[in-house]
Amino acid sequence: MLTRAELNRYNRQMILPELGPEGQEKLKVARVLVIGAGGLGCPVLQYLAAAGAGTIGIVDDDVVELSNLQRQILYNHNDIGQPKAKVASAKLALLNPHVNFTVYYERFTPANAIAICQEYDLIIDCSDNFSTRYLVNDTCVSLGITLIFGSILGFEGQVAVFNHQGGTNYRDLYPAPPAESMTCAAGGVIGILPGIIGLYMANEAVKLICNIGETLSGKLMTIDALNNNVSVFKITSEKQTPTIKSETKAIKEIDQATLAQWLLAHKDEVFLIDVREDYEHEENNLGGVNISLYELNNSLDAIPKNKKIVCYCQTGQRSKMAVQLLEGIYTGQVYSLTGGLV
């Protein structure tokens, strides 16, 4: 039951017909684990605590540094050198004393992943490295827990909901981690972007907990804050139908044998686009130009209008997304390579 103080505190969201007292009750009993209390974790934690998520776990083994303060606005200069998870918990308790916080001032590793995650019914991945992302995903898959994913770099961010009711997971989109990964420390990030992406992640969490609205399950939202481009792509997995369907027609796909025939007989009529990241293209490729899926919208001038366009990636997932994007703005024939390089 909600107390009188809680009824007053959450009044503005409880009067929403989609949420109501029933939704607030669901929030109160929810158990949410946030992995990472950095750029993404700060807004996620602040807004979930303010919304009244009953129990929030915080996993982070890092301490506050001066370079964090440009984007991790839960912290201030006096917090430098202090553990992020402990500082966040203390400040969030002041924001909302009705929320219970559990602090895990430790690194999320294979040794503790199961023990930590099994105590929660929703996991939010706010980590900043590939090894943790894959560990979080695989743990959620093994435990059958829904995962909210977010990532940021430069001016671009991604949000998705994985493993919800048996839906797609992170490996359906990115089967394996790269040998080397670009991080915010190396590639930079605009300070406002974590707030934008983190708020979307918190919003997805509220919708999932309260069972309202349409979520990003089976979808990937990409946001380019520099050019104000927002795209939502559908994701499929091997256990689902292999062809993504748009509102009007199915995505056109060709197999390896057909592509080989086209290149042998009519090479000058085919334009290949590797929509993976540059480090993936450098490791191995089928030729053609390398335009990342997330740069495609800004690189249309580089695509000829009098050729068959064939997009490919590692597994066929991102190439299908590329076709979805191009078919909305490009009048030529656009295809995805079935199954990708694997």
Side-chain angles (χ1 to χ4, degrees), residues 130 149 151 153 155-160 162 170 173-174 220-225 227 229-233 235 274-280 290-299 313 317-319 321-322 325:
F130 281 102
F149 159 80
S151 70
L153 185 65
F155 289 88
E156 298 181 1
Q158 302 177 4
V159 186
F162 292 124
Y170 187 63
L173 184 60
Y174 301 112
L220 177 72
M221 172 184 282
T222 65
I223 298 176
D224 177 357
N227 299 301
N229 292 323
V230 179
S231 300
V232 178
F233 302 100
I235 308 170
D274 183 351
V275 298
R276 300 174 299 162
E277 300 302 313
D278 55 2
Y279 64 84
E280 296 176 280
N290 178 209
I291 306 175
S292 165
L293 170 65
Y294 311 111
E295 292 293 330
L296 202 57
N297 209 28
N298 301 321
S299 306
C313 63
Q317 288 291 347
R318 281 172 281 176
S319 60
M321 295 178 184
L325 189 153

Side-chain angles (χ1 to χ4, degrees), residues 120-140:
Y120 298 88
D121 44 46
L122 179 63
I123 311 295
I124 305 181
D125 181 8
C126 299
S127 63
D128 61 357
N129 63 86
F130 281 102
S131 60
T132 302
R133 289 174 189 165
Y134 281 92
L135 175 59
V136 174
N137 174 80
D138 295 349
T139 303
C140 287

